[in-house]
Amino acid sequence: MVIVMERGASEAQVEAVIGVLVAVGYDVHRSTGQSHTVLGAVGQPREAVDPGTLELLPGVREVIKISEPYKLVGRTFRKDDTVVSIGGVNVGGPEVVVMAGPCSVESHERVGRIAGLVAASGARVIRGGAFKPRTSPYSFQGHGEDALRWMREAGDKHGLAVISEVMDPRQIEMMSRYVDCLQVGARNMQNFDLLKELGRTRMPILLKRGMSSTIEEWLLSAEYILAGGNGQVVMCERGIRTFENATRNTLDLSAIPVIKKRSHLPIVVDPSHGTGRRDKVIPMARAAVAAGADGLLIEVHDEPEKALSDGAQSLLPEMFDRLMAELRVIAPAIGRTLPVARPAARTA
Ligand code: PEP
Ligand code: MN
């Protein structure tokens, strides 16, 4: 249930409404906007509260019964777009934020080199897996904490924030010492214990859509994190499984306007996992920005034929550079910006 207070409702009136809700067992999340205070009542109350009764309390403008099963992630609860700061890089503001790097962090040297190249092209965040969710237990599983240390060093050297995937609640504390954002992979979107633990942190979380999840299920997973008290969530569309097999997944770009309408959370698109083939990544990246994505997550590798994972979908650095130049033309057409290239980072 969402309670919208009157413009200019007094603090005592707001507190009185909160008191009534808490008394019956709701958790109350308060959002103080410029003109209105909005209260989100979540959880299972011990006794039912009649919205009509609440509406009669002084200072209450409207009580909205939410038909959607999620509350805190919904637009009804928060009208303004949420901006998530990933190590000082704002996702959800005017700038289209590009996160780029290898699928897996393979070596100290390579992640440093790729970081310099993507920074030179205008990326703001270095991506790379230290713990890899591989279909086969015999495939490369990631270099763990060493990989995080190498990525942090590369990020600091080239002025990039750092994102990496967390697979297990036991990794959160250690990973948080190295990264600016924790990625929840498609395979873990409904790992509810992991989501609950992430809700207890104050780390930015990039939540990938599960490969066979509906948008409602995906938003409910985000709700787990917000319900724990962590509002710093970025949604990431990475393609879903359909009957189509010409591409690795079917990249659902319509998720962008759907999420924008239903939720205040920012959404980025991963055209690498979304298509699985490097020649398809560029057109889908362009389309994602044109459709209003707040950012992109793109795999880039300097020797993709030698990559330990996802070489076929990794852009060569020069392809990435060209894509960024194209995005600098597309973004302004829809009122967005993209950072300028920083050629000096290439050699720094
Ligand atoms: C990844 O980003 O490398 C990854 C494993 O992605 P996903 O969870 O979308 O498959
Ligand atoms: Mn990958």
Side-chain angles (χ1 to χ4, degrees):
M1 191 158 40
V2 170
I3 295 94
V4 183
M5 301 300 292
E6 293 284 6
R7 184 188 293 266
S10 71
E11 188 57 33
Q13 290 172 333
V14 175
E15 288 299 332
V17 176
I18 293 175
V20 170
L21 294 167
V22 169
V24 293
Y26 276 116
D27 283 335
V28 179
H29 294 255
R30 176 177 177 163
S31 169
T32 309
Q34 271 185 348
S35 56
H36 295 279
T37 292
V38 178
L39 304 173
V42 293
Q44 296 297 326
R46 284 182 299 278
E47 42 185 297
V49 193
D50 177 6
T53 311
L54 281 177
E55 224 153 26
L56 291 173
L57 292 176
V60 174
R61 191 181 86 164
E62 195 183 359
V63 178
I64 303 157
K65 275 206 57 126
I66 306 290
S67 50
E68 295 120 355
Y70 46 83
K71 296 185 174 72
L72 303 175
V73 302
R75 273 277 177 211
T76 322
F77 177 60
R78 200 188 139 109
K79 210 159 61 47
D80 300 334
D81 290 341
T82 286
V83 177
V84 176
S85 167
I86 296 182
V89 177
N90 282 346
V91 183
E95 179 184 324
V96 174
V97 172
V98 180
M99 315 178 191
C103 177
S104 310
V105 177
E106 299 173 3
S107 72
H108 187 193
E109 295 70 31
R110 194 185 294 285
V111 76
R113 194 158 58 242
I114 296 174
L117 290 166
V118 299
S121 301
R124 301 275 265 142
V125 184
I126 176 85
R127 65 142 288 148
F131 300 99
K132 294 304 300 178
R134 305 306 300 279
T135 301
S136 164
Y138 306 117
S139 300
F140 176 59
Q141 302 285 310
H143 284 301
E145 188 167 355
D146 285 342
L148 297 169
R149 201 174 297 115
W150 302 333
M151 228 188 335
R152 181 76 263 167
E153 194 185 301
D156 289 346
K157 180 166 176 201
H158 296 288
L160 299 169
V162 175
I163 179 171
S164 196
E165 177 169 350
V166 61
M167 299 215 297
D168 187 296
R170 290 167 295 188
Q171 296 162 346
I172 295 174
E173 200 190 319
M174 180 277 286
M175 287 191 72
S176 304
R177 292 201 291 272
Y178 298 99
V179 305
D180 301 298
C181 181
L182 292 164
Q183 172 177 326
V184 175
R187 292 156 192 81
N188 272 313
M189 189 205 86
Q190 288 192 316
N191 180 341
F192 300 117
D193 287 333
L194 177 60
L195 300 176
K196 281 182 202 163
E197 279 304 319
L198 293 170
R200 291 191 187 103
T201 74
R202 291 298 173 265
M203 287 290 288
I205 310 296
L206 182 130
L207 179 64
K208 286 201 162 192
R209 179 177 182 180
M211 54 186 91
S212 31
S213 297
T214 63
I215 289 176
E216 184 169 295
E217 289 164 343
W218 184 23
L219 284 169
L220 279 167
S221 289
E223 184 84 11
Y224 266 90
I225 303 172
L226 270 74
N230 182 2
Q232 300 289 291
V233 176
V234 177
M235 309 297 277
C236 178
E237 165 63 44
R238 50 77 72 200
I240 49 176
R241 280 222 171 140
T242 67
F243 53 82
E244 181 54 71
N245 59 11
T247 47
R248 180 178 178 182
N249 290 291
T250 298
L251 187 63
D252 179 12
L253 290 183
S254 59
I256 302 166
V258 173
I259 290 286
K260 286 276 170 208
K261 173 113 199 237
R262 294 195 189 178
S263 177
H264 51 85
L265 295 174
I267 175 170
V268 305
V269 168
D270 169 356
S272 307
H273 295 86
T275 62
R277 291 292 302 260
R278 100 170 46 93
D279 59 334
K280 315 286 187 302
V281 170
I282 290 181
M284 296 312 279
R286 295 184 197 124
V289 170
D294 294 300
L296 296 168
L297 182 71
I298 299 184
E299 288 183 342
V300 176
H301 200 287
D302 57 338
E303 291 180 292
E305 65 290 351
K306 293 191 188 157
L308 296 180
S309 56
D310 287 349
Q313 67 191 33
S314 298
L315 293 186
L316 285 155
E318 53 272 26
M319 296 172 85
F320 178 70
D321 194 56
R322 213 174 318 126
L323 169 64
M324 292 294 280
E326 290 169 354
L327 297 180
R328 270 183 214 105
V329 179
I330 296 171
I334 49 157
R336 309 295 290 262
T337 62
L338 209 83
V340 293
R342 295 192 281 135
R346 195 180 300 274
T347 47

